[in-house]
Amino acid sequence: MPAESVLMRFVEGEGTADLDAYVQAGGYEAARHALTTLTPESVIDIVDQSGLRGKGGAGFPTGRKWKFIPKGAPVKYVVVNGDEAEPCTFKDHMLLERAPHLLVEGIIITAYAVGAHTAYAYVRREGYLARERLRQAVAVAYERGFLGRKIFGTDMDLDVVVHTGAGAYIAGEETALLESLEGRRAMPRQRPPFPAVAGLYGKPTVINNVETLSHLPAVIRLGPEAYRSLGPPALFSVSGHVRRPGVYELPLGTPMHELIEHAGGLREGRRFKAAFPGGSSSAILTAEHLDVPMDYEPLRVAGSMLGSASLIVMDDTTCIVRVVARAVGFYKEESCGKCTPCREGTYWLSLVFDRILHGRGRMEDLDLLAHISKGLNGTCFCLLGESVPPSLDASLQHFRHEYEYHIGTGRCDVEDRLPPQHFAARSTGDPGAAAGTPGA
Amino acid sequence: MAEPPATVTLTIDGRAVTVARGTTVWHAAEQAGIDIPIFCYLDRMPPLGACRQCFVRVEKMARLQTSCTLVAEEGMVVSASTPDVRGAQERNLEFLLINHPLDCPICDKGGECPLQDQTFAYGSGRSRFVELKRDFAKPVSLGSVLVLDRERCILCWRCVRFGEIVAGDDALKGFERGFQTEINTPFTQPVRSKFIGNTISICPVGALTSRTYRFQARPWDNDAVPSVCNHCGLGCTVWLDVRDQTVARVRPRETPDLNDIWLCDLGQFGFEWLHAKDRLTRPLVRKNGQLVETTWDEALDLVAARLAESRQRGAGRVGVLGGARLTNEDNFLLRRVFREIVGTPHLDHRLDARPGSASLQVAWGLRGPLAAIPESSLLLLVGCDITEEYPIAWLRMKQAVDHGAQLYAIHPKPLEIHRFITGRLIHSPGAEGVVLAQIANAVRGQKPDAKVLQEAGVDPAVVAGLVARLRAAARPMVFIGKNALEGPAGTTVLHAAQRLQAAGCMIHIMRGKGNAVGAALMGVLPGPGGWTAPEMIQQAARGALDVLYVLGGDPATEVGDAHAWAAAREHTPLVVVHDLFLTATGRDADVVLPALTYAEKHGTVCNLEGRVQQIEAAVRGPAGARGDGAILLELAARLGAEWSYGGWEEIFADARAAVPGLEIGAFRTPPPLQGDWPANGALPARSADLVLITGEVLFDRGSMTARSPAIADLAGPPSVWVHPADAASRGLVDGALAQLSVGAAGLVLRARLTEEVPPGRVYVPRGYDAVPVNRLLSWDQPLVTVSLRAIDAAAAAGPGSEVAP
């Protein structure tokens, strides 16, 4: 843990779901400071200078996003993306469950900065406790006058509505989220217009991720330079073959192997094989990238991305073919059905993987997988379908021999190399679970 | 700040293309004659970008771009045919085809299928898909006319978006997700739409087909004949696709400023009656009380002799009813024969009007083009159930609403389109005149009387909102419908409408079906000293007529007082009917002459805009039947006229001489309202009994619709709509048989429990010929109160009662 923890100190121990605990830890002082002493423009400038970027996956600079909001618009909205559904990403849920007032305070600061008076927090249906804690936090914030009319004695009015998601991965895509929030089937919208110009109900809308907004109290409290000097800080969800999976707050740029060490390192006697650095949508990296700094640019150069900063670690007991098949199956199930390549391509891929994993693969299927991947690459309506090619292509490049072994023998080379007792407790049915797929 | 130039110039495949600013690259390519394949985009709806077929490469852009969503910019360099673009299009087609059954040899769409065409043009010709294709139980029935073959669907979303964007009925939706996504109706109920046929024409594959056309023909078997729909009066342009002397289907014929590329389901599926087995083919005359078949000569000789006899007894002893189903040329001959030869001034096509009603005192039709409706910022419907009466006009109104127009409806019951209505003014029956008068007064600065409005059943706040918007509106329009014109307050409505007209509103008189406007233009209206249709019927009941000559109408069911017609029939020695079927009027007539339909005639017709359009005969019609014009010419000859017409063109030429401005494609727009109509500020007395309101429905069971099985199913059984509270107090449950009575007259109908009718009122749709509601109506009593009670089915079968099927 770094010297100055900006988020985890509200999470650890008893947490700060209780308002008094949060206030005692300095909660709502940043919002009060912003509303009573700063202009909205200077709040935006501070956020812009802080280097805060969207934590949902796209990593767009938050201050710049806010600057797109037209100043004169009479009605604007703040929408919180709490649909966190990326496999092995769990930081937002943790924040909502243990420190929901961070978000509420972040909402107040955001609404003040962009001039909105209504905010909607869209929280994933499956996050029952997270949603309930946020509801309670909002209710108590109203009681204490942090929400509602004339907040902190200023002219600022703000209402916050907590909305239950409709249960689809695609609802985490910001425009699909807006569709869902408006009561329609969650399918992404054409951009432009961007939500900042025409978002919820056609009005200018700021959409930010839960973690992004939860950073704002720290950004205001510390000021842009001090905040940035902390890395800037980020929450990493670490899962898979590590001894202490969990959420870790570390500076951006922490090398991958250090992050793994924070999470307790690998299991006894196991070797690192591969990792998704930013959730299942990021390309798989191999051992040669263990030193890569966990930051936007270095990961991009390495051919992957930071995404939602969710490191999924896989050791040498992992069958990469099964991992990719599992990821493909996920995107197949979660494709919204709007665009052709994603809808049909993921389906076709899953059929081919099914064949390979059931001993009915053909060597030409390797070209076919690459061909389908090419059909998805750069052609999908949104990033859901585009999430498939990076890992698929990387696996075909780095682990081609595993595919060939499956196709040639009808068996799994990882299984064949490991002692049988390794699989004694394995579950059946889910091919992803068979060879110890992390996160399954 | 300098205005940006109105055009931009870009390069597509090396060719410079200059287009209006805001044009998409796809349209720019189209204008340059460069074909870019596409499935989801349809230029009547905003781009969606879902099918990913229309990719282009744009210089300085990393990814391929969908040309349908990309706006052309100055200097853009676009390639639509480079190998990477072609490769992406080929891969995308391969994706679309992995789940497509390629059952083209038996698919209705084969031969006119965009997927087939684009696969041929842009596909690879082979697939690497080796798995079994998806297989579904098929087809899925989505209601009376629509059928879905799910495995053919490529999920372009056109049909779903049509319901959301164009029709506003949300008839179809996507269910499940990913590759399991399917189109279906909400809650898998039978589709609820008046426009669903359009989803078939815009489906880019054979996924949506119609029950009426399924497996009937291949496109290349059909001769497409241009015609004009004769149902509602808007005169939508259609193609009659003919195979082997049979109309296999009716399709919209694109006319951008009329029906555009759309058609309502009555127009699209209400054609099977053309080939009904019981079409009349031999003239019938009454002998010894029985209608018996005879020859044309005998029938025509008889009619001519009786007309000549009457002429000798004196002028004006013949009455002519009808004309709305005839062409302009037929109507022109009708007027000539009866005015010039028979010498009677009693002609009227408005046979469903009440004596003295406002309908008879105003020219029918739109005072401006249909295409101008979307430019209006305020639309006010007065007794006009637009989706039931003139559905295609609703699509224009929906466009207006989408552009921000406000829609108000003054009506005795909620309308189907209520969710698009800014303010509902649901008034007590007969109070529409008072409500509109208050609005007209308020627009001119007088304060509305809140107490009167409340007594009329409407919310004064809604009226205030309407008045404020009327004052500020751009091109406000008022649509006055049959219910208001025929109601007790009809002239009060016209009086108020004229004042609104003076305040800048355009007033449309939404009245008349088929070619009613053409009939009026051709002079099928009372001449000097002539009687209106209801006056003729009243006079006939007193024995004032020797002959009643009825063409293409069924007064026995259409006249708003069945007893008045019965009396007229009884006291007229000769009733002659031209019709396609033996209607209720025909069964009681003395001579019935088998006529031809619009699909069997050449000529011209006029729609409610006064637009003159040409129709062509598509099929010959049954042997033995004759066109109305031909029958009239035969009569003319027998009555001594020496007319010589070589074809419809010559009759049209004569008509043009008589009616200035009658040119094909021209508009004979009716003049603005001008009249001295009496206004009555009194509200009708309140009634403790149920008040009967009636209205037109798109899907009824008239002589034509009852013979079109797909449409007859849509109509459902004859029913009375009852508010659940009124039903509960009478022990009525939904779907139960109910006796609706006025004095001794009664009808047995199915009770339909719905909050679409307010408490204290019951609603009975008109147009059910087997159970005509006009038996309960009376010209003497504009507002009818009824008693309603539940009956059991066994009792209903007893003698003397009318039993619903």
Side-chain angles (χ1 to χ4, degrees):
Chain A
M1 207 57 41
E4 172 79 42
S5 148
V6 303
L7 295 178
M8 290 306 278
R9 67 193 186 97
F10 294 96
V11 170
E12 284 165 347
E14 297 294 305
T16 54
D18 177 65
L19 180 74
D20 291 330
Y22 183 67
V23 169
Q24 210 155 19
Y28 288 107
E29 281 313 308
R32 183 191 304 278
H33 174 68
L35 265 62
T36 53
T37 64
L38 300 173
T39 62
E41 292 75 23
S42 57
V43 173
I44 295 179
D45 285 339
I46 290 169
V47 173
D48 196 26
Q49 289 155 20
S50 73
L52 180 64
R53 294 171 70 163
K55 305 291 187 181
F60 197 84
T62 305
R64 243 170 72 203
K65 198 172 194 175
W66 292 4
K67 284 182 177 174
F68 291 134
I69 298 284
K71 286 221 159 46
V75 179
K76 304 165 199 174
Y77 295 109
V78 172
V79 173
V80 183
N81 186 343
D83 196 60
E84 185 177 62
E86 180 76 12
C88 305
T89 305
F90 34 79
K91 61 200 173 57
D92 291 346
H93 279 66
M94 181 204 70
L95 286 172
L96 291 174
E97 287 173 9
R98 302 187 61 83
H101 287 286
L102 276 175
L103 174 62
V104 177
E105 188 172 2
I107 292 172
I108 298 170
I109 294 166
T110 310
Y112 176 68
V114 301
H117 300 289
T118 310
Y120 293 89
Y122 185 101
V123 184
R124 191 178 176 201
R125 176 169 209 88
E126 293 86 339
Y128 297 100
L129 180 61
R131 216 166 53 242
E132 197 43 45
R133 289 268 166 85
L134 179 60
R135 279 221 172 91
Q136 284 168 8
V138 167
V140 176
Y142 267 105
E143 278 170 28
R144 296 288 182 91
F146 298 150
L147 293 176
R149 306 284 85 82
K150 300 206 175 295
I151 299 171
F152 304 123
T154 68
D155 283 339
M156 173 76 183
D157 296 343
L158 177 62
D159 287 307
V160 176
V161 179
V162 180
H163 182 89
T164 304
Y169 173 69
I170 190 60
E173 196 283 339
E174 62 178 15
T175 59
L177 184 150
L178 294 177
E179 286 284 292
S180 175
L181 193 52
E182 290 181 20
R184 284 189 291 273
R185 177 186 168 96
M187 295 207 287
R189 294 178 183 172
Q190 180 68 32
R191 283 174 295 198
F194 287 90
V197 177
L200 186 65
Y201 305 116
K203 301 287 186 276
T205 302
V206 160
I207 308 184
N208 281 126
N209 163 269
V210 169
E211 185 197 337
T212 313
L213 296 185
S214 298
H215 278 265
L216 289 172
V219 170
I220 297 296
R221 179 166 53 86
L222 298 170
E225 291 79 18
Y227 175 83
R228 210 173 50 236
S229 73
L230 295 173
L235 294 184
F236 293 92
S237 309
V238 187
S239 63
H241 294 146
V242 291
R243 281 194 287 204
R244 284 199 308 275
V247 178
Y248 295 89
E249 182 178 334
L250 289 165
L252 276 178
T254 304
M256 191 199 290
H257 68 85
E258 267 185 43
L259 188 52
I260 293 173
E261 282 151 29
H262 277 285
L266 297 178
R267 296 178 295 179
E268 190 65 38
R270 300 265 65 101
R271 278 184 304 111
F272 178 89
K273 181 170 186 178
F276 292 94
S280 65
S281 302
S282 61
I284 293 176
L285 295 178
T286 55
E288 64 172 314
H289 290 116
L290 270 171
D291 291 334
V292 69
M294 294 290 285
D295 200 349
Y296 298 97
E297 189 57 18
L299 282 167
R300 194 189 63 76
V301 171
S304 189
M305 63 174 186
L306 183 64
S308 57
S310 308
L311 181 67
I312 309 172
V313 180
M314 296 172 272
D315 67 20
D316 55 352
T317 65
T318 312
C319 169
I320 294 295
V321 180
R322 287 203 157 108
V323 168
V324 177
R326 181 70 189 85
V328 164
F330 174 78
Y331 292 109
K332 177 198 72 167
E333 287 298 322
E334 296 296 344
S335 166
C336 78
K338 177 168 183 162
C339 78
T340 308
C342 175
R343 183 183 68 234
E344 306 295 337
T346 55
Y347 168 67
W348 192 359
L349 284 172
S350 73
L351 295 180
V352 177
F353 271 107
D354 217 37
R355 261 209 333 266
I356 293 173
L357 289 174
H358 285 89
R360 290 184 279 108
R362 312 165 305 170
M363 280 303 166
E364 60 263 39
D365 285 340
L366 294 179
D367 287 343
L368 179 57
L369 290 174
H371 170 78
I372 302 172
S373 178
K374 193 175 175 194
L376 282 162
N377 201 352
T379 60
C380 297
F381 189 91
C382 78
L383 290 175
L384 193 155
E386 302 281 347
S387 300
V388 175
S391 285
L392 174 55
D393 293 350
S395 73
L396 285 170
Q397 188 190 339
H398 301 299
F399 301 97
R400 195 175 185 88
H401 58 281
E402 294 195 16
Y403 284 91
E404 288 168 352
Y405 192 93
H406 269 276
I407 291 170
T409 66
R411 302 175 58 84
C412 171
D413 68 332
V414 177
E415 278 184 38
D416 283 355
R417 276 187 291 105
L418 288 169
Q421 59 267 32
H422 178 78
F423 300 103
R426 88 180 193 195
S427 60
T428 52
D430 180 358
T437 301
Chain B
M1 204 164 69
E3 285 281 309
T7 61
V8 295
T9 300
L10 69 164
T11 315
I12 307 176
D13 283 351
R15 288 158 65 179
V17 187
T18 301
V19 294
R21 182 172 293 280
T23 306
T24 62
V25 170
W26 190 85
H27 274 295
E30 189 196 31
Q31 286 172 33
I34 297 167
D35 184 46
I36 300 177
I38 197 157
F39 294 109
C40 65
Y41 178 60
L42 180 75
D43 58 6
R44 301 320 196 268
M45 302 189 278
L48 183 67
C51 75
R52 319 306 283 175
Q53 192 61 45
C54 66
F55 278 128
V56 292
R57 168 69 64 196
V58 182
E59 259 182 29
K60 295 181 192 143
M61 288 188 171
R63 287 162 55 108
L64 292 175
Q65 301 291 314
T66 46
S67 58
C68 71
T69 57
L70 184 67
V71 174
E73 280 170 28
E74 185 64 39
M76 217 175 224
V77 179
V78 177
S79 31
S81 55
T82 45
D84 56 339
V85 170
R86 287 281 190 252
Q89 290 172 344
E90 193 181 301
R91 282 188 291 275
N92 202 57
L93 271 169
E94 190 181 11
F95 281 153
L96 286 173
L97 292 177
I98 64 169
N99 274 320
H100 191 81
L102 297 174
D103 58 347
C104 311
I106 58 144
C107 177
D108 288 330
K109 202 78 176 184
E112 54 181 12
C113 175
L115 181 62
Q116 204 175 36
D117 295 346
Q118 295 190 17
T119 301
F120 189 72
Y122 300 97
S124 81
R126 58 184 286 273
S127 172
R128 307 197 200 189
F129 189 76
V130 297
E131 272 74 20
L132 282 177
K133 291 194 183 237
R134 289 191 299 171
D135 192 17
F136 289 112
K138 65 180 282 184
V140 176
S141 166
L142 298 180
S144 301
V145 291
L146 192 66
V147 174
L148 169 67
D149 290 282
R150 286 171 290 176
E151 70 281 16
R152 290 181 188 156
C153 177
I154 60 166
L155 289 168
C156 70
W157 302 97
R158 280 185 180 185
C159 57
V160 172
R161 298 177 82 226
F162 171 82
E164 291 170 353
I165 296 168
V166 180
D169 56 18
D170 291 293
L172 297 173
K173 291 284 171 192
F175 294 86
E176 303 300 329
R177 66 181 179 224
F179 74 103
Q180 290 170 310
T181 307
E182 281 182 29
I183 302 306
N184 210 321
T185 56
F187 310 107
T188 63
Q189 293 287 305
V191 72
R192 287 195 61 162
S193 175
K194 293 183 164 64
F195 303 97
I196 207 69
N198 297 299
T199 63
I200 298 169
S201 38
I202 63 177
C203 180
V205 294
L208 293 173
T209 54
S210 77
R211 228 181 264 288
T212 52
Y213 182 65
R214 202 171 160 80
F215 305 134
Q216 292 302 303
R218 313 311 306 270
W220 54 85
D221 294 328
N222 296 333
D223 290 326
V225 181
S227 188
V228 171
C229 178
N230 79 333
H231 281 291
C232 82
L234 288 178
C236 296
T237 50
V238 295
W239 292 111
L240 303 179
D241 277 352
V242 178
R243 184 187 186 189
D244 300 337
Q245 279 301 310
T246 304
V247 176
R249 65 173 167 179
V250 177
R251 282 182 295 140
R253 177 161 58 93
E254 180 174 351
T255 305
D257 63 343
L258 182 51
N259 51 309
D260 194 12
I261 59 169
W262 314 121
L263 213 53
C264 77
D265 290 349
L266 183 63
Q268 195 145 341
F269 304 113
F271 68 91
E272 292 168 285
W273 54 272
L274 290 171
H275 305 297
K277 292 216 165 41
D278 61 344
R279 276 283 296 271
L280 296 173
T281 55
R282 301 279 305 274
L284 304 171
V285 294
R286 191 166 295 280
K287 286 183 183 165
N288 303 323
Q290 297 289 316
L291 279 178
V292 294
E293 290 189 351
T294 183
T295 63
W296 272 102
D297 279 340
E298 189 188 334
L300 289 168
D301 287 346
L302 170 76
V303 175
R306 299 286 288 271
L307 288 172
E309 249 172 61
S310 171
R311 184 171 57 182
Q312 277 172 353
R313 290 179 66 186
R317 295 193 57 80
V318 175
V320 178
L321 293 170
R325 298 280 171 217
L326 276 53
T327 62
N328 290 335
E329 292 70 26
D330 292 343
N331 278 311
F332 180 73
L333 292 178
L334 182 65
R335 180 183 194 276
R336 281 199 75 188
V337 168
F338 285 93
R339 291 287 295 277
E340 292 177 24
I341 306 176
V342 178
T344 178
H346 310 312
L347 285 80
D348 200 349
H349 68 93
R350 304 165 296 186
L351 55 83
D352 58 348
R354 195 169 53 78
S357 81
S359 287
L360 300 167
Q361 303 174 41
V362 64
W364 298 0
L366 290 151
R367 265 61 182 174
L370 199 60
I373 292 175
E375 292 157 27
S376 170
S377 73
L378 191 134
L379 306 168
L380 171 60
L381 301 172
V382 184
C384 180
D385 197 345
I386 195 73
T387 53
E388 301 288 358
E389 296 175 40
Y390 301 102
I392 286 295
W394 158 245
L395 299 189
R396 301 281 178 182
M397 293 183 182
K398 170 74 169 50
Q399 282 181 317
V401 170
D402 288 347
H403 295 167
Q406 310 289 328
L407 179 63
Y408 284 82
I410 299 177
H411 213 80
K413 73 177 200 51
L415 301 182
E416 177 184 25
I417 49 169
H418 62 82
R419 73 190 176 99
F420 296 100
I421 290 178
T422 310
R424 291 200 223 177
L425 296 163
I426 298 167
H427 57 79
S428 52
E432 59 270 34
V434 170
V435 174
L436 196 65
Q438 289 278 336
I439 291 164
N441 288 344
V443 168
R444 296 161 73 100
Q446 207 172 313
K447 196 174 152 36
D449 188 331
K451 192 162 159 283
V452 169
L453 289 171
Q454 271 158 354
E455 269 177 48
V458 302
D459 182 350
V462 176
V463 170
L466 167 59
V467 168
R469 289 185 164 118
L470 266 170
R471 286 208 186 110
R475 307 189 67 163
M477 292 184 178
V478 182
F479 299 80
I480 301 176
K482 178 175 175 181
N483 265 33
L485 294 165
E486 286 297 312
T491 56
T492 311
V493 167
L494 286 182
H495 181 91
Q498 189 166 232
R499 303 184 70 196
L500 285 170
Q501 179 178 273
C505 293
M506 184 177 274
I507 312 293
H508 301 302
I509 303 297
M510 304 303 282
R511 186 80 164 87
K513 292 186 176 185
N515 189 31
V517 168
L521 270 179
M522 294 299 120
V524 185
L525 288 172
W531 296 324
T532 62
E535 284 165 352
M536 272 184 252
I537 292 166
Q538 287 173 325
Q539 292 292 342
R542 292 178 202 130
L545 293 178
D546 298 329
V547 181
L548 257 174
Y549 203 97
V550 183
L551 302 96
D554 186 12
T557 60
E558 289 174 51
V559 167
D561 184 334
H563 312 287
W565 169 255
R569 159 64 277 204
E570 194 185 332
H571 295 102
T572 303
L574 186 75
V575 173
V576 182
V577 170
H578 287 201
D579 217 323
L580 313 171
F581 306 104
L582 198 57
T583 60
T585 307
R587 281 195 293 275
D588 277 344
D590 301 296
V591 178
V592 181
L593 303 175
L596 292 178
T597 69
Y598 77 104
E600 295 146 4
K601 288 177 183 175
H602 289 291
T604 63
V605 289
C606 298
N607 75 350
L608 278 189
E609 300 168 288
R611 182 195 302 249
V612 186
Q613 305 192 97
Q614 190 185 340
I615 60 173
E616 288 182 25
V619 290
R620 282 191 294 269
R626 294 187 185 181
D628 300 277
I631 299 170
L632 292 164
L633 283 173
E634 289 277 358
L635 282 178
R638 281 171 166 77
L639 290 166
E642 291 179 8
W643 297 347
S644 157
Y645 286 112
W648 73 271
E649 296 93 337
E650 293 178 16
I651 307 171
F652 182 60
D654 266 12
R656 280 164 61 198
V659 182
L662 189 74
E663 302 284 348
I664 289 170
F667 287 78
R668 286 278 321 208
T669 309
L673 295 199
Q674 197 184 352
D676 188 15
W677 294 292
N680 179 357
L683 284 167
R686 290 200 165 223
S687 167
D689 298 324
L690 289 176
V691 178
L692 171 64
I693 50 180
T694 66
E696 303 290 322
V697 285
L698 189 65
F699 305 123
D700 60 16
R701 287 193 185 164
S703 64
M704 294 185 287
T705 44
R707 289 175 176 84
S708 304
I711 294 295
D713 279 357
L714 279 174
S719 56
V720 51
W721 301 19
V722 191
H723 189 275
D726 290 328
S729 62
R730 289 165 177 80
L732 268 176
V733 294
D734 195 44
L737 287 176
Q739 166 96 23
L740 195 64
S741 312
V742 179
L747 292 179
V748 175
L749 301 160
R750 295 266 170 206
R752 177 174 159 190
L753 272 53
T754 170
E755 290 182 4
E756 285 173 65
V757 57
R761 294 164 215 180
V762 291
Y763 174 75
V764 178
R766 294 192 283 257
Y768 282 79
D769 285 2
V771 198
V773 69
N774 67 350
R775 288 190 192 150
L776 303 184
L777 304 177
S778 162
W779 281 345
D780 307 329
Q781 225 187 320
L783 286 182
V784 176
T785 56
V786 291
S787 71
L788 177 71
R789 64 183 178 82
I791 53 169
D792 64 64
S801 66
E802 311 273 357
V803 182

